[in-house]
PDB file of all heavy atoms in Angstrom:
ATOM      1  N   TYR A 419     -71.238 243.656 246.729  1.00 92.00           N
ATOM      2  CA  TYR A 419     -71.592 243.850 245.353  1.00 92.00           C
ATOM      3  C   TYR A 419     -70.751 244.949 244.645  1.00 92.00           C
ATOM      4  O   TYR A 419     -71.049 245.290 243.537  1.00 92.00           O
ATOM      5  CB  TYR A 419     -73.065 244.242 245.276  1.00 92.00           C
ATOM      6  CG  TYR A 419     -73.928 243.154 245.884  1.00 92.00           C
ATOM      7  CD1 TYR A 419     -74.523 243.273 247.174  1.00 92.00           C
ATOM      8  CD2 TYR A 419     -74.252 242.024 245.188  1.00 92.00           C
ATOM      9  CE1 TYR A 419     -75.347 242.296 247.686  1.00 92.00           C
ATOM     10  CE2 TYR A 419     -75.039 240.994 245.760  1.00 92.00           C
ATOM     11  CZ  TYR A 419     -75.616 241.131 246.967  1.00 92.00           C
ATOM     12  OH  TYR A 419     -76.405 240.195 247.531  1.00 92.00           O
ATOM     13  N   VAL A 420     -69.723 245.465 245.273  1.00 91.00           N
ATOM     14  CA  VAL A 420     -68.857 246.438 244.732  1.00 91.00           C
ATOM     15  C   VAL A 420     -68.215 245.822 243.460  1.00 91.00           C
ATOM     16  O   VAL A 420     -67.779 244.688 243.421  1.00 91.00           O
ATOM     17  CB  VAL A 420     -67.802 246.925 245.751  1.00 91.00           C
ATOM     18  CG1 VAL A 420     -66.790 247.859 244.989  1.00 91.00           C
ATOM     19  CG2 VAL A 420     -68.501 247.643 246.841  1.00 91.00           C
ATOM     20  N   ASN A 421     -68.092 246.602 242.397  1.00 88.00           N
ATOM     21  CA  ASN A 421     -67.549 246.261 241.116  1.00 88.00           C
ATOM     22  C   ASN A 421     -68.344 245.210 240.349  1.00 88.00           C
ATOM     23  O   ASN A 421     -67.772 244.584 239.491  1.00 88.00           O
ATOM     24  CB  ASN A 421     -66.043 245.665 241.329  1.00 88.00           C
ATOM     25  CG  ASN A 421     -65.279 245.836 239.996  1.00 88.00           C
ATOM     26  OD1 ASN A 421     -65.572 246.739 239.254  1.00 88.00           O
ATOM     27  ND2 ASN A 421     -64.287 245.029 239.857  1.00 88.00           N
ATOM     28  N   GLU A 422     -69.705 245.151 240.615  1.00 88.00           N
ATOM     29  CA  GLU A 422     -70.602 244.359 239.867  1.00 88.00           C
ATOM     30  C   GLU A 422     -71.523 245.251 239.197  1.00 88.00           C
ATOM     31  O   GLU A 422     -71.786 246.381 239.586  1.00 88.00           O
ATOM     32  CB  GLU A 422     -71.264 243.341 240.763  1.00 88.00           C
ATOM     33  CG  GLU A 422     -70.422 242.259 241.348  1.00 88.00           C
ATOM     34  CD  GLU A 422     -71.156 241.079 241.849  1.00 88.00           C
ATOM     35  OE1 GLU A 422     -72.240 240.785 241.227  1.00 88.00           O
ATOM     36  OE2 GLU A 422     -70.626 240.386 242.721  1.00 88.00           O
ATOM     37  N   ARG A 423     -72.204 244.730 238.101  1.00 88.00           N
ATOM     38  CA  ARG A 423     -73.037 245.547 237.303  1.00 88.00           C
ATOM     39  C   ARG A 423     -74.345 245.852 238.048  1.00 88.00           C
ATOM     40  O   ARG A 423     -74.997 244.980 238.571  1.00 88.00           O
ATOM     41  CB  ARG A 423     -73.382 244.866 235.935  1.00 88.00           C
ATOM     42  CG  ARG A 423     -73.994 245.771 234.961  1.00 88.00           C
ATOM     43  CD  ARG A 423     -74.135 245.012 233.618  1.00 88.00           C
ATOM     44  NE  ARG A 423     -74.644 245.862 232.516  1.00 88.00           N
ATOM     45  CZ  ARG A 423     -73.881 246.641 231.796  1.00 88.00           C
ATOM     46  NH1 ARG A 423     -72.580 246.638 231.991  1.00 88.00           N
ATOM     47  NH2 ARG A 423     -74.407 247.399 230.853  1.00 88.00           N
ATOM     48  N   TYR A 424     -74.632 247.157 238.170  1.00 92.00           N
ATOM     49  CA  TYR A 424     -75.802 247.582 239.035  1.00 92.00           C
ATOM     50  C   TYR A 424     -77.118 246.920 238.566  1.00 92.00           C
ATOM     51  O   TYR A 424     -77.889 246.446 239.409  1.00 92.00           O
ATOM     52  CB  TYR A 424     -75.874 249.107 239.019  1.00 92.00           C
ATOM     53  CG  TYR A 424     -77.227 249.613 239.668  1.00 92.00           C
ATOM     54  CD1 TYR A 424     -77.331 249.562 241.064  1.00 92.00           C
ATOM     55  CD2 TYR A 424     -78.237 250.020 238.890  1.00 92.00           C
ATOM     56  CE1 TYR A 424     -78.576 250.015 241.655  1.00 92.00           C
ATOM     57  CE2 TYR A 424     -79.435 250.386 239.465  1.00 92.00           C
ATOM     58  CZ  TYR A 424     -79.627 250.392 240.835  1.00 92.00           C
ATOM     59  OH  TYR A 424     -80.777 250.840 241.362  1.00 92.00           O
ATOM     60  N   SER A 425     -77.338 246.907 237.353  1.00 89.00           N
ATOM     61  CA  SER A 425     -78.634 246.440 236.746  1.00 89.00           C
ATOM     62  C   SER A 425     -78.915 245.055 237.204  1.00 89.00           C
ATOM     63  O   SER A 425     -79.991 244.711 237.606  1.00 89.00           O
ATOM     64  CB  SER A 425     -78.664 246.585 235.267  1.00 89.00           C
ATOM     65  OG  SER A 425     -77.640 245.843 234.637  1.00 89.00           O
ATOM     66  N   ALA A 426     -77.839 244.160 237.108  1.00 86.00           N
ATOM     67  CA  ALA A 426     -77.990 242.770 237.472  1.00 86.00           C
ATOM     68  C   ALA A 426     -78.223 242.573 238.968  1.00 86.00           C
ATOM     69  O   ALA A 426     -79.067 241.823 239.425  1.00 86.00           O
ATOM     70  CB  ALA A 426     -76.798 241.924 237.012  1.00 86.00           C
ATOM     71  N   VAL A 427     -77.429 243.313 239.762  1.00 90.00           N
ATOM     72  CA  VAL A 427     -77.610 243.224 241.239  1.00 90.00           C
ATOM     73  C   VAL A 427     -78.926 243.745 241.677  1.00 90.00           C
ATOM     74  O   VAL A 427     -79.530 243.141 242.522  1.00 90.00           O
ATOM     75  CB  VAL A 427     -76.434 244.010 241.893  1.00 90.00           C
ATOM     76  CG1 VAL A 427     -76.636 244.076 243.450  1.00 90.00           C
ATOM     77  CG2 VAL A 427     -75.047 243.341 241.573  1.00 90.00           C
ATOM     78  N   ALA A 428     -79.334 244.885 241.198  1.00 91.00           N
ATOM     79  CA  ALA A 428     -80.600 245.411 241.595  1.00 91.00           C
ATOM     80  C   ALA A 428     -81.767 244.490 241.322  1.00 91.00           C
ATOM     81  O   ALA A 428     -82.683 244.302 242.066  1.00 91.00           O
ATOM     82  CB  ALA A 428     -80.793 246.794 240.828  1.00 91.00           C
ATOM     83  N   SER A 429     -81.734 243.862 240.084  1.00 86.00           N
ATOM     84  CA  SER A 429     -82.797 242.914 239.717  1.00 86.00           C
ATOM     85  C   SER A 429     -82.782 241.769 240.651  1.00 86.00           C
ATOM     86  O   SER A 429     -83.819 241.311 241.150  1.00 86.00           O
ATOM     87  CB  SER A 429     -82.561 242.475 238.304  1.00 86.00           C
ATOM     88  OG  SER A 429     -83.497 241.466 237.931  1.00 86.00           O
ATOM     89  N   GLN A 430     -81.602 241.222 240.992  1.00 84.00           N
ATOM     90  CA  GLN A 430     -81.488 240.088 241.891  1.00 84.00           C
ATOM     91  C   GLN A 430     -82.026 240.396 243.319  1.00 84.00           C
ATOM     92  O   GLN A 430     -82.817 239.630 243.910  1.00 84.00           O
ATOM     93  CB  GLN A 430     -80.024 239.623 241.954  1.00 84.00           C
ATOM     94  CG  GLN A 430     -79.786 238.424 242.835  1.00 84.00           C
ATOM     95  CD  GLN A 430     -78.340 238.100 242.945  1.00 84.00           C
ATOM     96  OE1 GLN A 430     -77.523 238.624 242.151  1.00 84.00           O
ATOM     97  NE2 GLN A 430     -77.982 237.255 243.853  1.00 84.00           N
ATOM     98  N   LEU A 431     -81.677 241.539 243.863  1.00 92.00           N
ATOM     99  CA  LEU A 431     -82.043 241.957 245.177  1.00 92.00           C
ATOM    100  C   LEU A 431     -83.575 242.264 245.321  1.00 92.00           C
ATOM    101  O   LEU A 431     -84.212 241.965 246.190  1.00 92.00           O
ATOM    102  CB  LEU A 431     -81.206 243.063 245.691  1.00 92.00           C
ATOM    103  CG  LEU A 431     -79.719 242.801 245.891  1.00 92.00           C
ATOM    104  CD1 LEU A 431     -79.010 243.975 246.478  1.00 92.00           C
ATOM    105  CD2 LEU A 431     -79.506 241.553 246.799  1.00 92.00           C
ATOM    106  N   LYS A 432     -84.046 242.941 244.250  1.00 89.00           N
ATOM    107  CA  LYS A 432     -85.461 243.272 244.231  1.00 89.00           C
ATOM    108  C   LYS A 432     -86.402 242.000 244.257  1.00 89.00           C
ATOM    109  O   LYS A 432     -87.406 241.997 244.844  1.00 89.00           O
ATOM    110  CB  LYS A 432     -85.846 244.188 243.028  1.00 89.00           C
ATOM    111  CG  LYS A 432     -85.287 245.584 243.152  1.00 89.00           C
ATOM    112  CD  LYS A 432     -85.624 246.417 241.870  1.00 89.00           C
ATOM    113  CE  LYS A 432     -85.042 247.826 242.055  1.00 89.00           C
ATOM    114  NZ  LYS A 432     -85.282 248.589 240.752  1.00 89.00           N
ATOM    115  N   ALA A 433     -85.822 240.989 243.531  1.00 82.00           N
ATOM    116  CA  ALA A 433     -86.594 239.730 243.493  1.00 82.00           C
ATOM    117  C   ALA A 433     -86.659 239.075 244.899  1.00 82.00           C
ATOM    118  O   ALA A 433     -87.630 238.324 245.197  1.00 82.00           O
ATOM    119  CB  ALA A 433     -85.939 238.737 242.512  1.00 82.00           C
ATOM    120  N   LYS A 434     -85.694 239.406 245.740  1.00 83.00           N
ATOM    121  CA  LYS A 434     -85.676 238.853 247.101  1.00 83.00           C
ATOM    122  C   LYS A 434     -86.518 239.691 248.088  1.00 83.00           C
ATOM    123  O   LYS A 434     -86.697 239.346 249.197  1.00 83.00           O
ATOM    124  CB  LYS A 434     -84.292 238.765 247.599  1.00 83.00           C
ATOM    125  CG  LYS A 434     -83.374 237.674 246.969  1.00 83.00           C
ATOM    126  CD  LYS A 434     -82.008 237.642 247.631  1.00 83.00           C
ATOM    127  CE  LYS A 434     -81.176 236.495 247.069  1.00 83.00           C
ATOM    128  NZ  LYS A 434     -79.830 236.402 247.705  1.00 83.00           N
ATOM    129  N   GLY A 435     -86.910 240.874 247.623  1.00 87.00           N
ATOM    130  CA  GLY A 435     -87.722 241.715 248.534  1.00 87.00           C
ATOM    131  C   GLY A 435     -86.997 243.016 248.986  1.00 87.00           C
ATOM    132  O   GLY A 435     -87.558 243.798 249.692  1.00 87.00           O
ATOM    133  N   TYR A 436     -85.766 243.204 248.561  1.00 91.00           N
ATOM    134  CA  TYR A 436     -85.062 244.379 248.947  1.00 91.00           C
ATOM    135  C   TYR A 436     -85.640 245.698 248.297  1.00 91.00           C
ATOM    136  O   TYR A 436     -86.143 245.607 247.174  1.00 91.00           O
ATOM    137  CB  TYR A 436     -83.555 244.332 248.620  1.00 91.00           C
ATOM    138  CG  TYR A 436     -82.749 243.374 249.507  1.00 91.00           C
ATOM    139  CD1 TYR A 436     -82.611 242.070 249.116  1.00 91.00           C
ATOM    140  CD2 TYR A 436     -82.052 243.842 250.597  1.00 91.00           C
ATOM    141  CE1 TYR A 436     -81.830 241.157 249.902  1.00 91.00           C
ATOM    142  CE2 TYR A 436     -81.295 242.945 251.341  1.00 91.00           C
ATOM    143  CZ  TYR A 436     -81.164 241.610 251.051  1.00 91.00           C
ATOM    144  OH  TYR A 436     -80.436 240.770 251.795  1.00 91.00           O
ATOM    145  N   THR A 437     -85.489 246.793 248.973  1.00 93.00           N
ATOM    146  CA  THR A 437     -85.692 248.059 248.279  1.00 93.00           C
ATOM    147  C   THR A 437     -84.370 248.656 247.899  1.00 93.00           C
ATOM    148  O   THR A 437     -83.455 248.776 248.752  1.00 93.00           O
ATOM    149  CB  THR A 437     -86.445 249.071 249.227  1.00 93.00           C
ATOM    150  OG1 THR A 437     -87.710 248.477 249.650  1.00 93.00           O
ATOM    151  CG2 THR A 437     -86.717 250.375 248.574  1.00 93.00           C
ATOM    152  N   VAL A 438     -84.214 248.975 246.616  1.00 94.00           N
ATOM    153  CA  VAL A 438     -82.890 249.316 246.161  1.00 94.00           C
ATOM    154  C   VAL A 438     -82.959 250.771 245.576  1.00 94.00           C
ATOM    155  O   VAL A 438     -83.842 251.102 244.728  1.00 94.00           O
ATOM    156  CB  VAL A 438     -82.449 248.424 244.999  1.00 94.00           C
ATOM    157  CG1 VAL A 438     -81.033 248.742 244.479  1.00 94.00           C
ATOM    158  CG2 VAL A 438     -82.427 246.936 245.480  1.00 94.00           C
ATOM    159  N   HIS A 439     -82.041 251.595 246.056  1.00 95.00           N
ATOM    160  CA  HIS A 439     -81.835 252.999 245.511  1.00 95.00           C
ATOM    161  C   HIS A 439     -80.508 253.134 244.843  1.00 95.00           C
ATOM    162  O   HIS A 439     -79.544 252.423 245.156  1.00 95.00           O
ATOM    163  CB  HIS A 439     -81.961 253.977 246.660  1.00 95.00           C
ATOM    164  CG  HIS A 439     -83.328 254.043 247.258  1.00 95.00           C
ATOM    165  ND1 HIS A 439     -84.565 254.043 246.507  1.00 95.00           N
ATOM    166  CD2 HIS A 439     -83.761 254.090 248.587  1.00 95.00           C
ATOM    167  CE1 HIS A 439     -85.535 254.110 247.346  1.00 95.00           C
ATOM    168  NE2 HIS A 439     -85.142 254.062 248.611  1.00 95.00           N
ATOM    169  N   LYS A 440     -80.442 254.127 243.935  1.00 94.00           N
ATOM    170  CA  LYS A 440     -79.202 254.328 243.183  1.00 94.00           C
ATOM    171  C   LYS A 440     -78.753 255.762 243.266  1.00 94.00           C
ATOM    172  O   LYS A 440     -79.511 256.712 243.152  1.00 94.00           O
ATOM    173  CB  LYS A 440     -79.498 253.959 241.692  1.00 94.00           C
ATOM    174  CG  LYS A 440     -78.362 254.227 240.687  1.00 94.00           C
ATOM    175  CD  LYS A 440     -78.913 253.867 239.297  1.00 94.00           C
ATOM    176  CE  LYS A 440     -77.862 254.097 238.224  1.00 94.00           C
ATOM    177  NZ  LYS A 440     -78.371 253.831 236.860  1.00 94.00           N
ATOM    178  N   LYS A 441     -77.395 255.936 243.480  1.00 93.00           N
ATOM    179  CA  LYS A 441     -76.820 257.224 243.531  1.00 93.00           C
ATOM    180  C   LYS A 441     -75.629 257.214 242.517  1.00 93.00           C
ATOM    181  O   LYS A 441     -74.826 256.313 242.601  1.00 93.00           O
ATOM    182  CB  LYS A 441     -76.311 257.601 244.898  1.00 93.00           C
ATOM    183  CG  LYS A 441     -75.770 258.994 245.011  1.00 93.00           C
ATOM    184  CD  LYS A 441     -75.456 259.393 246.433  1.00 93.00           C
ATOM    185  CE  LYS A 441     -74.243 258.607 246.918  1.00 93.00           C
ATOM    186  NZ  LYS A 441     -73.820 259.165 248.343  1.00 93.00           N
ATOM    187  N   GLU A 442     -75.592 258.154 241.605  1.00 92.00           N
ATOM    188  CA  GLU A 442     -74.570 258.144 240.574  1.00 92.00           C
ATOM    189  C   GLU A 442     -73.361 259.057 240.843  1.00 92.00           C
ATOM    190  O   GLU A 442     -73.529 260.120 241.515  1.00 92.00           O
ATOM    191  CB  GLU A 442     -75.214 258.565 239.231  1.00 92.00           C
ATOM    192  CG  GLU A 442     -76.193 257.565 238.739  1.00 92.00           C
ATOM    193  CD  GLU A 442     -76.767 257.885 237.356  1.00 92.00           C
ATOM    194  OE1 GLU A 442     -76.813 259.130 237.084  1.00 92.00           O
ATOM    195  OE2 GLU A 442     -77.093 256.961 236.600  1.00 92.00           O
ATOM    196  N   VAL A 443     -72.200 258.663 240.445  1.00 90.00           N
ATOM    197  CA  VAL A 443     -71.005 259.393 240.692  1.00 90.00           C
ATOM    198  C   VAL A 443     -70.003 259.104 239.534  1.00 90.00           C
ATOM    199  O   VAL A 443     -69.963 257.945 239.067  1.00 90.00           O
ATOM    200  CB  VAL A 443     -70.370 259.104 242.030  1.00 90.00           C
ATOM    201  CG1 VAL A 443     -69.935 257.708 242.102  1.00 90.00           C
ATOM    202  CG2 VAL A 443     -69.263 260.077 242.384  1.00 90.00           C
ATOM    203  N   ALA A 444     -69.181 260.067 239.124  1.00 87.00           N
ATOM    204  CA  ALA A 444     -68.170 259.857 238.136  1.00 87.00           C
ATOM    205  C   ALA A 444     -67.000 259.077 238.804  1.00 87.00           C
ATOM    206  O   ALA A 444     -66.703 259.262 239.952  1.00 87.00           O
ATOM    207  CB  ALA A 444     -67.644 261.201 237.557  1.00 87.00           C
ATOM    208  N   SER A 445     -66.432 258.125 238.000  1.00 85.00           N
ATOM    209  CA  SER A 445     -65.356 257.347 238.584  1.00 85.00           C
ATOM    210  C   SER A 445     -64.344 256.978 237.476  1.00 85.00           C
ATOM    211  O   SER A 445     -64.782 256.479 236.392  1.00 85.00           O
ATOM    212  CB  SER A 445     -65.935 256.085 239.207  1.00 85.00           C
ATOM    213  OG  SER A 445     -64.868 255.223 239.568  1.00 85.00           O
ATOM    214  N   ASP A 446     -63.081 257.147 237.764  1.00 78.00           N
ATOM    215  CA  ASP A 446     -62.001 256.756 236.809  1.00 78.00           C
ATOM    216  C   ASP A 446     -61.642 255.272 237.035  1.00 78.00           C
ATOM    217  O   ASP A 446     -60.973 254.683 236.204  1.00 78.00           O
ATOM    218  CB  ASP A 446     -60.767 257.623 236.988  1.00 78.00           C
ATOM    219  CG  ASP A 446     -61.034 259.098 236.641  1.00 78.00           C
ATOM    220  OD1 ASP A 446     -61.929 259.318 235.858  1.00 78.00           O
ATOM    221  OD2 ASP A 446     -60.294 259.974 237.224  1.00 78.00           O
ATOM    222  N   GLU A 447     -62.097 254.702 238.118  1.00 81.00           N
ATOM    223  CA  GLU A 447     -61.679 253.325 238.523  1.00 81.00           C
ATOM    224  C   GLU A 447     -62.712 252.333 238.072  1.00 81.00           C
ATOM    225  O   GLU A 447     -62.344 251.226 237.610  1.00 81.00           O
ATOM    226  CB  GLU A 447     -61.454 253.233 240.020  1.00 81.00           C
ATOM    227  CG  GLU A 447     -61.000 251.857 240.484  1.00 81.00           C
ATOM    228  CD  GLU A 447     -60.817 251.782 241.967  1.00 81.00           C
ATOM    229  OE1 GLU A 447     -60.995 252.899 242.644  1.00 81.00           O
ATOM    230  OE2 GLU A 447     -60.550 250.738 242.498  1.00 81.00           O
ATOM    231  N   TYR A 448     -63.981 252.720 238.183  1.00 84.00           N
ATOM    232  CA  TYR A 448     -65.129 251.711 237.843  1.00 84.00           C
ATOM    233  C   TYR A 448     -65.763 252.073 236.562  1.00 84.00           C
ATOM    234  O   TYR A 448     -66.096 253.196 236.349  1.00 84.00           O
ATOM    235  CB  TYR A 448     -66.127 251.681 239.003  1.00 84.00           C
ATOM    236  CG  TYR A 448     -65.503 251.263 240.373  1.00 84.00           C
ATOM    237  CD1 TYR A 448     -65.018 252.151 241.243  1.00 84.00           C
ATOM    238  CD2 TYR A 448     -65.521 249.895 240.690  1.00 84.00           C
ATOM    239  CE1 TYR A 448     -64.464 251.739 242.439  1.00 84.00           C
ATOM    240  CE2 TYR A 448     -64.956 249.437 241.871  1.00 84.00           C
ATOM    241  CZ  TYR A 448     -64.451 250.413 242.755  1.00 84.00           C
ATOM    242  OH  TYR A 448     -63.939 249.975 243.977  1.00 84.00           O
ATOM    243  N   PRO A 449     -66.065 251.040 235.755  1.00 82.00           N
ATOM    244  CA  PRO A 449     -66.756 251.232 234.495  1.00 82.00           C
ATOM    245  C   PRO A 449     -68.180 251.815 234.655  1.00 82.00           C
ATOM    246  O   PRO A 449     -68.749 251.581 235.748  1.00 82.00           O
ATOM    247  CB  PRO A 449     -66.770 249.861 233.813  1.00 82.00           C
ATOM    248  CG  PRO A 449     -65.786 249.041 234.526  1.00 82.00           C
ATOM    249  CD  PRO A 449     -65.763 249.609 235.919  1.00 82.00           C
ATOM    250  N   THR A 450     -68.762 252.392 233.593  1.00 85.00           N
ATOM    251  CA  THR A 450     -70.091 252.898 233.649  1.00 85.00           C
ATOM    252  C   THR A 450     -71.078 251.787 234.025  1.00 85.00           C
ATOM    253  O   THR A 450     -70.986 250.704 233.422  1.00 85.00           O
ATOM    254  CB  THR A 450     -70.469 253.522 232.272  1.00 85.00           C
ATOM    255  OG1 THR A 450     -69.571 254.498 231.981  1.00 85.00           O
ATOM    256  CG2 THR A 450     -71.878 254.065 232.328  1.00 85.00           C
ATOM    257  N   GLY A 451     -71.949 252.114 235.002  1.00 90.00           N
ATOM    258  CA  GLY A 451     -73.011 251.119 235.350  1.00 90.00           C
ATOM    259  C   GLY A 451     -72.524 250.165 236.428  1.00 90.00           C
ATOM    260  O   GLY A 451     -73.326 249.289 236.834  1.00 90.00           O
ATOM    261  N   TYR A 452     -71.319 250.273 236.906  1.00 92.00           N
ATOM    262  CA  TYR A 452     -70.817 249.380 237.943  1.00 92.00           C
ATOM    263  C   TYR A 452     -70.896 250.016 239.357  1.00 92.00           C
ATOM    264  O   TYR A 452     -70.710 251.244 239.455  1.00 92.00           O
ATOM    265  CB  TYR A 452     -69.408 248.819 237.585  1.00 92.00           C
ATOM    266  CG  TYR A 452     -69.434 247.707 236.580  1.00 92.00           C
ATOM    267  CD1 TYR A 452     -69.809 247.974 235.273  1.00 92.00           C
ATOM    268  CD2 TYR A 452     -69.146 246.467 237.001  1.00 92.00           C
ATOM    269  CE1 TYR A 452     -69.847 246.894 234.344  1.00 92.00           C
ATOM    270  CE2 TYR A 452     -69.219 245.384 236.064  1.00 92.00           C
ATOM    271  CZ  TYR A 452     -69.565 245.628 234.718  1.00 92.00           C
ATOM    272  OH  TYR A 452     -69.632 244.542 233.868  1.00 92.00           O
ATOM    273  N   ILE A 453     -71.058 249.214 240.375  1.00 93.00           N
ATOM    274  CA  ILE A 453     -71.208 249.643 241.713  1.00 93.00           C
ATOM    275  C   ILE A 453     -69.893 250.074 242.303  1.00 93.00           C
ATOM    276  O   ILE A 453     -68.892 249.336 242.250  1.00 93.00           O
ATOM    277  CB  ILE A 453     -71.913 248.559 242.595  1.00 93.00           C
ATOM    278  CG1 ILE A 453     -73.258 248.351 242.017  1.00 93.00           C
ATOM    279  CG2 ILE A 453     -71.934 248.977 244.032  1.00 93.00           C
ATOM    280  CD1 ILE A 453     -73.981 247.106 242.784  1.00 93.00           C
ATOM    281  N   VAL A 454     -69.780 251.286 242.808  1.00 92.00           N
ATOM    282  CA  VAL A 454     -68.630 251.847 243.377  1.00 92.00           C
ATOM    283  C   VAL A 454     -68.582 251.564 244.920  1.00 92.00           C
ATOM    284  O   VAL A 454     -67.595 251.235 245.516  1.00 92.00           O
ATOM    285  CB  VAL A 454     -68.506 253.403 243.183  1.00 92.00           C
ATOM    286  CG1 VAL A 454     -67.341 253.963 243.876  1.00 92.00           C
ATOM    287  CG2 VAL A 454     -68.449 253.650 241.639  1.00 92.00           C
ATOM    288  N   SER A 455     -69.735 251.753 245.555  1.00 94.00           N
ATOM    289  CA  SER A 455     -69.855 251.458 247.017  1.00 94.00           C
ATOM    290  C   SER A 455     -71.312 251.205 247.374  1.00 94.00           C
ATOM    291  O   SER A 455     -72.250 251.335 246.558  1.00 94.00           O
ATOM    292  CB  SER A 455     -69.373 252.680 247.816  1.00 94.00           C
ATOM    293  OG  SER A 455     -70.212 253.798 247.571  1.00 94.00           O
ATOM    294  N   GLN A 456     -71.500 250.709 248.611  1.00 95.00           N
ATOM    295  CA  GLN A 456     -72.843 250.333 249.103  1.00 95.00           C
ATOM    296  C   GLN A 456     -72.928 250.833 250.546  1.00 95.00           C
ATOM    297  O   GLN A 456     -71.929 250.846 251.235  1.00 95.00           O
ATOM    298  CB  GLN A 456     -73.126 248.852 248.976  1.00 95.00           C
ATOM    299  CG  GLN A 456     -72.025 247.936 249.751  1.00 95.00           C
ATOM    300  CD  GLN A 456     -72.151 246.496 249.398  1.00 95.00           C
ATOM    301  OE1 GLN A 456     -72.133 246.072 248.217  1.00 95.00           O
ATOM    302  NE2 GLN A 456     -72.251 245.686 250.458  1.00 95.00           N
ATOM    303  N   ASN A 457     -74.100 251.180 251.021  1.00 95.00           N
ATOM    304  CA  ASN A 457     -74.210 251.645 252.349  1.00 95.00           C
ATOM    305  C   ASN A 457     -74.524 250.654 253.436  1.00 95.00           C
ATOM    306  O   ASN A 457     -74.738 251.000 254.599  1.00 95.00           O
ATOM    307  CB  ASN A 457     -75.343 252.781 252.375  1.00 95.00           C
ATOM    308  CG  ASN A 457     -76.714 252.154 252.200  1.00 95.00           C
ATOM    309  OD1 ASN A 457     -76.899 251.138 251.598  1.00 95.00           O
ATOM    310  ND2 ASN A 457     -77.769 252.848 252.637  1.00 95.00           N
TER     311      ASN A 457
END
């Protein structure tokens, strides 16, 4: 899900039953609100 909009991905995964957490970081490469990495 890297480089996809967090709000849309979180909504989709929560509907499937996932627990979703968010950590924010400044990035010159990725636009605001987009996923930089996943654990």
Side-chain angles (χ1 to χ4, degrees):
Y419 300 100
V420 173
N421 203 26
E422 294 200 26
R423 195 174 185 85
Y424 170 78
S425 58
V427 172
S429 177
Q430 179 183 350
L431 294 184
K432 287 176 181 177
K434 291 184 176 182
Y436 287 89
T437 300
V438 182
H439 293 316
K440 176 183 180 182
K441 185 172 72 173
E442 294 184 329
V443 65
S445 172
D446 295 333
E447 181 180 357
Y448 296 92
T450 302
Y452 278 71
I453 296 173
V454 176
S455 63
Q456 58 193 52
N457 68 337

